[in-house]
């Protein structure tokens, strides 16, 4: 892979915005360089200063936790920001293309359309793995990016590591492995393989196992060269001071993270053990995530509407390729899981 040839020429050539916080980083007594309000803030808390554009404190804590260097970390306003920036970094609108493997996360497609980038769909197999045919097409493709979601949303399964590795070795573009659900999976993260693959980008998020979806904080891990380009094109203050402070506190609360993770895994196992006994359940797909994809008979949408009428909202995936008759059920609290199961038992 030649990174420079993957990056859009205008981005290679451009000079990034240099913020007041880039140009002066020391501890001055009088800060009159950024048109902030030195008097204070409206509201209960002080947020009158711009945040660290490089999120150094959060990255230092994350680097230790993940076993990577701070220079291998990009932080964004949710993974969604990283997804959009990766498309914009590499794809010339109206010209370049990206590859997705449906059924998968919808934001890859939205980011392609938003940026006027061609999209090629290489469907997963019936058991939601990468087919030999798809692998061959990826390896032969001139696309700038391929999105691999593992564990995959909405199917819940990990993609086979051997197939991902083959793509990492042979594809000429960037290989983005979206690990939003990695904390629920019994497999090592691809962040452990970054040194081997200069074309690898791993996405993770604070929205799932960390329980911080409302905060909007996503992570990308890659070579310092790729991370440097993402930092070059991001909005300078893309992660707020409130988010940085809260994320730092969360990272220092590892026991709570572990407790949440284990409770969700127990809830997943509890539901997975009971759902197959229901007459309306045709199949519960194996999950390495915090949700279960379930095939219902005879009519999943009728089950969806019934649950909604009982005040329980799940995700209807019936129109996704390979997902006919399925609903995606997020694992909730023990009480929510019981309500869901009881409602499904009562379905007539
Ligand atoms: C939930 C999810 C994300 C997280 O997105 P955020 O913007 O970080 O909340 C990313 N990728 C996939 C596949 C997801 O399901």
């Amino acid at each position: 892979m030649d990174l420079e040839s993957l990056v859009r020429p205008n981005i290679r050539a451009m000079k990034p915005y240099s913020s007041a916080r880039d140009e002066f980083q020391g501890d001055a007594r009088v800060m009159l360089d950024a048109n902030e309000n030195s008097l204070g803030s409206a509201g209960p808390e002080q947020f009158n200063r711009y945040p660290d554009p490089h999120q150094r404190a959060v990255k230092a804590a994350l680097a230790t936790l993940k076993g990577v260097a701070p220079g291998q970390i990009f932080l964004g306003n949710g993974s969604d920001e990283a997804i959009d920036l990766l498309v914009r970094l590499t794809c010339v609108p109206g010209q370049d293309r990206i590859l997705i493997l449906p059924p998968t996360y919808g934001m890859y497609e939205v980011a392609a359309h938003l940026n006027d980038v061609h999209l090629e769909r290489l469907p997963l197999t019936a058991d939601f793995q990468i087919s030999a045919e798809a692998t061959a097409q990826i390896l032969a493709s001139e696309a700038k990016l391929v999105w691999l979601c593992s564990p995959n949303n909405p199917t819940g399964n990990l993609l086979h590591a051997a197939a991902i590795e083959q793509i990492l070795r042979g594809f000429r573009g960037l290989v983005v492995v979206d690990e939003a659900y990695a904390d629920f999976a019994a497999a090592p993260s691809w962040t452990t393989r970054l040194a081997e693959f200069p074309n690898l980008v791993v996405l993770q998020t604070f929205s799932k196992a960390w329980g911080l979806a409302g905060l909007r904080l996503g992570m990308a891990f890659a070579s310092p060269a790729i991370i440097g380009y993402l930092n070059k094109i991001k909005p300078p203050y893309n992660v707020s001071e409130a988010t940085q402070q809260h994320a730092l506190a969360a990272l220092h609360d590892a026991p709570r993270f572990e407790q949440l993770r284990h409770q969700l895994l127990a809830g997943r196992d509890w539901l997975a053990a009971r759902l197959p006994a229901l007459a309306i359940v045709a199949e519960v797909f194996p999950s390495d995530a915090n949700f279960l994809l379930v095939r219902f008979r005879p009519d999943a949408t009728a089950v969806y509407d019934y649950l909604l009428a009982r005040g329980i909202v799940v995700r209807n995936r019936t129109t996704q390729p390979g997902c006919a008759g399925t609903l995606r059920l997020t694992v909730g609290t023990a009480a929510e899981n019981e309500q869901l199961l009881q409602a499904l038992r009562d379905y007539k």
Side-chain angles (χ1 to χ4, degrees):
M1 179 207 64
D2 175 21
L3 179 60
E4 298 308 313
S5 73
L6 288 178
V7 171
R8 281 165 61 185
N10 62 306
I11 290 178
R12 260 185 282 144
M14 75 183 241
K15 216 164 105 26
Y17 178 71
S18 183
S19 72
R21 289 293 165 268
D22 281 312
E23 287 171 15
F24 177 81
Q25 291 171 19
D27 272 326
R29 281 188 302 124
V30 181
M31 303 261 284
L32 300 176
D33 60 342
N35 297 346
E36 297 154 335
N37 190 331
S38 289
L39 281 57
S41 311
E45 306 206 49
Q46 291 285 87
F47 289 112
N48 56 329
R49 297 296 175 186
Y50 280 104
D52 176 4
H54 307 291
Q55 308 102 21
R56 291 178 187 81
V58 180
K59 284 182 185 170
L62 262 180
T64 306
L65 180 73
K66 304 285 182 182
V68 300
Q72 293 176 294
I73 305 172
F74 167 84
L75 294 178
N77 184 16
S79 311
D80 291 345
E81 181 173 33
I83 291 169
D84 179 63
L85 289 181
L86 283 162
V87 173
R88 280 201 275 165
L89 175 66
T90 55
C91 295
V92 176
Q95 176 184 311
D96 289 326
R97 68 182 56 237
I98 66 169
L99 306 175
I100 65 167
L101 286 75
T104 194
Y105 187 45
M107 281 306 292
Y108 313 139
E109 186 163 345
V110 170
H113 291 325
L114 175 62
N115 292 296
D116 191 18
V117 162
H118 299 287
L119 183 77
E120 208 173 318
R121 297 182 180 85
L122 306 171
L124 294 172
T125 60
D127 60 349
F128 305 127
Q129 291 296 334
I130 307 171
S131 68
E133 192 191 349
T135 304
Q137 282 176 280
I138 294 166
L139 298 193
S141 175
E142 295 294 328
K144 291 296 188 79
L145 271 183
V146 60
W147 299 99
L148 305 176
C149 190
S150 182
N152 187 40
N153 179 3
T155 61
N157 60 292
L158 285 160
L159 299 176
H160 291 148
I164 296 180
E165 186 161 337
Q166 200 184 348
I167 292 165
L168 280 163
R169 291 193 192 287
F171 180 54
R172 285 183 287 274
L174 294 186
V175 179
V176 188
V177 182
D178 187 341
E179 293 188 344
Y181 301 98
D183 295 315
F184 305 108
S189 165
W190 284 91
T191 55
T192 58
R193 311 286 301 272
L194 281 172
E196 287 170 70
F197 304 113
N199 55 342
L200 172 61
V201 180
V202 180
L203 300 183
Q204 294 185 3
T205 180
F206 281 84
S207 296
K208 309 286 156 62
W210 289 94
L212 293 170
L215 211 52
R216 308 308 302 130
L217 188 59
M219 303 162 256
F221 303 94
S223 69
I226 295 173
I227 297 301
Y229 271 120
L230 290 175
N231 285 331
K232 181 175 181 181
I233 64 172
K234 78 181 181 70
Y237 303 114
N238 62 326
V239 178
S240 79
E241 178 63 27
T243 297
Q244 293 189 40
Q245 285 179 14
H246 205 112
L248 204 54
L251 287 166
H252 288 124
D253 195 11
R256 175 72 175 141
F257 167 77
E258 277 304 316
Q259 182 193 36
L260 290 169
R261 205 169 69 82
H262 279 106
Q263 280 177 21
L264 291 171
L265 290 176
R268 179 182 82 194
D269 293 346
W270 187 90
L271 280 171
R274 285 160 182 78
L275 287 167
L278 305 190
I280 55 169
V281 170
E283 187 166 10
V284 179
F285 291 91
S287 173
D288 273 290
N290 65 337
F291 58 84
L292 292 167
L293 188 73
V294 180
R295 183 163 279 138
F296 288 89
R297 65 187 155 214
D299 183 356
T301 297
V303 175
Y304 174 83
D305 291 336
Y306 158 85
L307 288 173
L308 207 53
R310 307 248 317 210
I312 300 172
V313 54
V314 299
R315 195 92 154 118
N316 191 342
R317 296 287 82 183
T318 48
T319 60
Q320 296 292 301
C323 294
T326 63
L327 304 180
R328 193 192 67 194
L329 314 177
T330 303
V331 176
T333 64
E336 289 170 337
N337 299 337
E338 278 171 34
Q339 277 183 61
L340 172 66
L341 188 71
Q342 194 53 53
L344 291 171
R345 280 183 176 142
D346 293 345
Y347 180 81
K348 301 222 173 43

